[in-house]
Amino acid sequence: MTHADKMERLDILRSKLGVLREEHRDLDEAIRAMEDRASADMLTLRRMKKRKLSLKDQIARLEDEITPDIIA
């Protein structure tokens, strides 16, 4: 893999990371808004929270992939 290929791959990963972070943030706001309502649908709320955790895991994996390993 050439240096240019690695840079292009990193750019793609960073772009995906930005999209996932935005979705996570939007979902967090939606969850808060739903929790503030007295008639919140608990099943939908549970699914949203599960999706948010999944996004958090995906974000962590991408961050690990983007960050180079440093040998101490």
Side-chain angles (χ1 to χ4, degrees):
M1 184 179 285
T2 67
H3 180 68
D5 290 339
K6 287 181 185 178
M7 292 305 294
E8 184 178 335
R9 186 174 184 319
L10 282 176
D11 289 341
I12 291 169
L13 291 176
R14 286 186 184 111
S15 178
K16 286 181 182 180
L17 184 59
V19 169
L20 291 176
R21 284 180 175 157
E22 185 176 345
E23 186 178 350
H24 185 272
R25 197 170 31 251
D26 291 346
L27 201 48
D28 190 43
E29 290 175 17
I31 289 170
R32 263 190 258 124
M34 190 175 236
E35 287 175 333
D36 289 344
R37 289 188 295 181
S39 62
D41 178 7
M42 297 310 289
L43 180 60
T44 301
L45 193 57
R46 195 172 330 142
R47 286 179 179 162
M48 290 169 71
K49 287 181 177 183
K50 201 172 194 177
R51 173 69 181 145
K52 185 179 165 195
L53 285 174
S54 173
L55 287 170
K56 185 177 177 181
D57 290 343
Q58 291 177 46
I59 289 168
R61 278 193 296 275
L62 279 177
E63 286 173 339
D64 286 346
E65 202 169 331
I66 291 171
T67 306
D69 291 334
I70 300 174
I71 300 171

